[in-house]
Amino acid sequence: MIRLELEGIKLSFDERTEKFAVGDDGDPERWKFRETPSLVCRGERKYFTDAEKITHKPVENGVGCGILSRYEGFCGENIIFETFVWIEGASGNVFFEWIPISEPDGGILSVDFPAAFEFDEPSDTWYTLLTEQQGLMIPNTWKTPIGGISFDGMFGTAGAYMPWFSQIKDGEGYIAICVTPWNGRYKAEHPKGGGFTHVGARFEPSLGRMDYRRVMRYTFLHGCTYAGVAKVYRQYSKETGLFRSLREKAAKNPSVFRLVGASVVHTGIKKNVVPESRFYDGEHPENNYSLTPFSVREREVKILRELGAEKVYLHLDGWGQPGYDNEHPDYTPACREAGGWEGMKSLADTLHECGYLFGIHDQYRDYYESAATFDPEYACMNPDGKIPGHSTWAGGRQKYLCASNAPYYVRRNFEEIARNGVSLDCAYLDVFTCNEGDECANPHHKMTRRECLSYRGECFEYLLSKGILTSSEEVADWSVGSLVFCHYAPYDFMMRPAGSPKRGIPVPLFSLVYHDAVIVPWVMEKNEGAGEDYMLYALINGGIPYLLRDGAYPGADGAFGEENRAALKEDINRCRSVSKLHEKVAFCELTNHETLDDAGRLQRSTFEDGTTVTVDFEKGTYKIESCG
């Protein structure tokens, strides 16, 4: 057994099992690996103890002390790697590093390191925090199994808006932050009936190789809450330059102030589902096409103004000639049948006359084979030379555009929009912050996932330079520096089939970190089946409301028909309550959030200015109180 201690942190290592434990004087092994770390090589799982040669040695340097281990030989291959687990003297943080030394091409498929900690007490005061979408707290006693995680828990996707997870037992906790998240994910297990939750890290190759150091940072906490854990990550995001506040963004683009408190209207122009699409309705072909002229949308904007909608952001799908989700990135000109550039400009001008904001849906990842300039040379290529693709969406067969080319297409298309006199306030670049980063092995534009995210960020920065507020499908904290708002950042249960049981207690981990950095719209429906009013989630998170969501598959009148005007006016009033709160707290940190009962049905948020919001999801009520 190797034992080290620094700044009150005790680190022990069992050379026989290759398991680590971390603790302090109160409990030297409070957090222990539950299993030996492992890797998959040539399709076969091997444990670190299976290495043909293993050496360990204590290391002390100018910033801390730790244990350096070397593992050589797996599956008859010349696979060599090292681990360095060390305590940082300045902070007491413990770093788990996996360091590749030698590997054959495709030799390593994944590495599970560090392993999950033991966490097997059937207690509701032991809980796990996952950053899937807005945030999830899973008490060990929670009866619903966790099942599949979005994007299998990959960091930087809907499965993990932020690259961290945490566990707390009776106030003693840790937060595990992935310092190198681009090819990392978490693996979580929680069984039906509860009893335990296990969560650990997994790292995967970049372009077929584990060719860079992978690092997890563990911070161990006493007397902590889930809100306190989120604040540790907020500080980390500031130290590493991820965080950029809305006030900073507004200083560069004052239009941010106009988005504060706005109600979102999501509508569309043209739908055209081709036969190759999974969504094509062969039995009812008439369902595959619809068209609403720009002039109709213009008339609806005027109705909103007449009914008292004060601040509106209109997000427009399907505005291009091909129709929604078709022929990207060759999406222009504006749909001719709907009125062309002249009709689109008139809509934009009317929105601005009403004091509203105008933004468009666009797409620079899905690369449609029907696009005029499609060329497989510019599609993402796997290391084996294959070019992946599918035909799910409305436009049919597609590949993935290598993101190294995306900034050029963004510049080309938005310059054309501007030349045609359409003034944009906002733009939505689809899936950039929801889906994982892509990688491309084409030698003409080779790209890692880390580089892919950088190219996506370059697209956002170009739009900001033109005074256009940026958004994307969801949120990922790699993008916070250049993302003003998003399409939504929901709790996971909001995206699951109606009636699905919650897999834990929804808690606003993302809002606790980034509320005053990104504006988040929230759906406002009353979910009768679940007995919940989703407006309460908008309030507890201090976001902006969705007034209408008609999206990519519009009807000609919908909510604007005469028979629906009263209901629309009621929705405008509901949105006004959410908007007024957002106008008050938009630039404030969400300083605290509490669950006031065991089931999480009674919750309270506290904002930096002293405003508190208490909601009762059972009764469907809320109370907003201002300090002073």
Side-chain angles (χ1 to χ4, degrees):
M1 183 76 74
I2 300 176
R3 302 182 190 275
L4 299 173
E5 182 175 358
L6 185 64
E7 297 298 324
I9 300 295
K10 295 179 181 291
L11 176 67
S12 59
F13 177 62
D14 188 329
E15 299 147 290
R16 180 179 58 84
T17 63
E18 304 292 326
K19 294 181 181 181
F20 285 90
V22 183
D24 52 28
D25 287 335
D27 184 350
E29 295 188 348
R30 178 172 288 118
W31 301 100
K32 298 187 294 185
F33 279 10
R34 65 180 294 266
E35 61 183 23
T36 299
S38 64
L39 70 157
V40 175
C41 59
R42 301 301 186 198
E44 184 178 356
R45 180 163 299 280
K46 293 289 184 180
Y47 293 92
F48 285 14
T49 50
D50 294 328
E52 296 169 7
K53 182 180 179 180
I54 303 175
T55 59
H56 308 288
K57 66 175 182 179
V59 172
E60 185 173 351
N61 55 36
V63 294
C65 64
I67 301 164
L68 180 67
S69 304
R70 187 178 178 94
Y71 302 87
E72 302 183 34
F74 291 87
C75 303
E77 302 268 13
N78 186 35
I79 294 174
I80 304 172
F81 62 86
E82 296 179 346
T83 62
F84 185 37
V85 181
W86 61 285
I87 307 168
E88 182 184 32
S91 65
N93 293 327
V94 178
F95 290 84
F96 290 80
E97 303 185 8
W98 186 93
I99 307 161
I101 304 297
S102 173
E103 62 170 311
D105 286 341
I108 300 177
L109 300 181
S110 65
V111 175
D112 287 7
F113 179 81
F117 287 131
E118 295 178 359
F119 203 70
D120 299 314
E121 182 72 22
S123 168
D124 58 8
T125 59
W126 287 36
Y127 58 86
T128 299
L129 303 175
L130 301 180
T131 59
E132 183 179 19
Q133 298 187 290
Q134 184 63 226
L136 185 64
M137 177 170 70
I138 308 174
N140 267 11
T141 53
W142 199 261
K143 301 301 183 183
T144 304
I146 191 169
I149 299 290
S150 303
F151 293 92
D152 200 22
M154 177 167 274
F155 298 130
T157 70
Y161 285 170
M162 302 173 288
W164 61 268
F165 54 84
S166 172
Q167 291 185 303
I168 298 173
K169 47 186 178 184
D170 299 323
E172 300 291 332
Y174 72 83
I175 177 174
I177 299 173
C178 187
V179 178
T180 55
W182 315 288
N183 295 277
R185 65 180 78 237
Y186 63 89
K187 303 296 293 183
E189 175 189 13
H190 180 83
K192 183 177 181 179
F196 67 85
T197 311
H198 299 143
V199 58
R202 172 170 291 177
F203 290 106
E204 295 167 356
S206 173
L207 291 171
R209 297 184 61 83
M210 299 286 293
D211 60 352
Y212 65 90
R213 182 176 57 133
R214 317 303 173 94
V215 183
M216 294 289 296
R217 191 196 92 170
Y218 283 67
T219 301
F220 296 91
L221 306 164
H222 304 289
C224 62
T225 64
Y226 61 85
V229 169
K231 295 309 174 184
V232 172
Y233 188 75
R234 179 179 168 92
Q235 181 60 33
Y236 173 85
S237 74
K238 290 184 173 183
E239 292 173 0
T240 55
L242 288 168
F243 190 95
R244 187 176 299 165
S245 72
L246 281 171
R247 290 199 181 278
E248 294 176 82
K249 295 169 185 176
K252 293 180 66 174
N253 191 331
S255 291
V256 170
F257 292 108
R258 296 174 58 207
L259 188 62
V260 169
S263 296
V264 181
V265 173
H266 180 188
T267 190
I269 296 295
K270 181 179 179 180
K271 175 181 74 171
N272 181 31
V273 184
V274 304
E276 294 82 7
S277 168
R278 190 184 68 172
F279 290 102
Y280 185 79
D281 188 343
E283 295 184 5
H284 305 282
E286 67 278 7
N287 292 337
N288 297 309
Y289 182 88
S290 67
L291 180 73
T292 303
F294 291 111
S295 59
V296 172
R297 297 304 179 211
E298 191 173 346
R299 186 169 67 248
E300 292 170 349
V301 168
K302 294 176 182 177
I303 292 171
L304 288 174
R305 199 74 184 93
E306 292 169 4
L307 292 177
E310 297 154 6
K311 299 177 74 172
V312 168
Y313 159 58
L314 187 139
H315 166 115
L316 192 66
D317 286 342
W319 57 271
Q321 180 58 37
Y324 182 74
D325 270 354
N326 266 262
E327 299 184 22
H328 291 287
D330 299 327
Y331 199 54
T332 60
C335 181
R336 298 184 187 92
E337 309 95 288
W341 287 120
E342 184 178 346
M344 188 173 178
K345 180 182 184 303
S346 182
L347 172 60
D349 291 346
T350 295
L351 282 158
H352 294 147
E353 289 167 7
C354 292
Y356 296 166
L357 295 168
F358 180 43
I360 57 170
H361 169 283
D362 210 351
Q363 167 69 256
Y364 295 93
R365 184 180 187 240
D366 295 347
Y367 191 27
Y368 287 91
E369 295 181 27
S370 56
T373 64
F374 174 81
D375 185 340
E377 165 64 21
Y378 300 102
C380 288
M381 176 187 291
N382 291 338
D384 62 5
K386 295 180 180 178
I387 298 176
H390 62 84
S391 57
T392 300
W393 309 122
R397 290 190 295 269
Q398 66 159 90
K399 308 301 183 189
Y400 297 106
L401 179 69
C402 180
S404 63
N405 295 291
Y408 302 112
Y409 280 105
V410 169
R411 184 158 47 245
R412 182 198 72 174
N413 291 351
F414 280 84
E415 291 290 344
E416 182 179 359
I417 293 169
R419 280 196 305 272
N420 282 278
V422 178
S423 179
L424 295 175
D425 305 291
C426 309
Y428 166 94
L429 303 187
D430 204 1
V431 309
F432 270 11
T433 57
C434 173
N435 291 61
E436 73 277 13
D438 298 310
E439 56 184 20
C440 180
N442 188 318
H444 295 143
H445 42 84
K446 186 175 289 187
M447 178 184 72
T448 64
R449 286 195 175 93
R450 184 179 187 180
E451 291 168 334
C452 175
L453 301 183
S454 179
Y455 287 126
R456 291 179 183 179
E458 187 178 328
C459 296
F460 291 139
E461 289 296 329
Y462 168 79
L463 295 174
L464 290 172
S465 76
K466 298 297 182 180
I468 299 172
L469 303 184
T470 51
S471 72
S472 191
E473 185 169 358
E474 298 192 41
V475 286
D477 77 343
W478 64 264
S479 68
V480 165
S482 53
L483 200 70
V484 175
F485 67 116
C486 63
H487 203 49
Y488 44 58
Y491 294 97
D492 74 295
F493 70 88
M494 294 177 171
M495 307 302 289
R496 294 180 177 273
S500 298
K502 292 179 181 176
R503 300 177 302 158
I505 297 173
V507 289
L509 301 179
F510 185 84
S511 293
L512 281 162
V513 177
Y514 288 121
H515 175 266
D516 53 332
V518 180
I519 295 174
V520 177
W522 289 84
V523 298
M524 297 281 287
E525 286 88 344
K526 293 182 179 180
N527 187 333
E528 303 295 346
E532 285 191 335
D533 185 349
Y534 283 175
M535 173 184 172
L536 300 182
Y537 290 102
L539 291 167
I540 201 76
N541 282 274
I544 61 174
Y546 265 101
L547 173 56
L548 291 168
R549 291 196 304 150
D550 200 11
Y553 305 101
D557 290 308
F560 293 92
E562 289 288 347
E563 69 280 8
N564 295 321
R565 298 284 178 90
L568 180 56
K569 190 171 181 63
E570 181 183 345
D571 288 341
I572 290 172
N573 290 332
R574 273 169 56 85
C575 286
R576 189 173 289 118
S577 299
V578 176
S579 295
K580 285 184 176 179
L581 175 64
H582 190 255
E583 288 174 343
K584 181 173 176 54
V585 303
F587 298 100
C588 296
E589 177 185 352
L590 175 57
T591 54
N592 195 28
H593 181 272
E594 306 160 87
T595 52
L596 305 177
D597 65 345
D598 291 341
R601 303 292 287 166
L602 189 64
Q603 299 186 6
R604 177 183 296 132
S605 286
T606 304
F607 293 90
E608 185 179 13
D609 67 346
T611 299
T612 63
V613 181
T614 306
V615 302
D616 188 325
F617 293 105
E618 202 70 43
K619 297 179 180 178
T621 60
Y622 67 91
K623 184 177 183 181
I624 300 173
E625 298 176 284
S626 297
C627 183

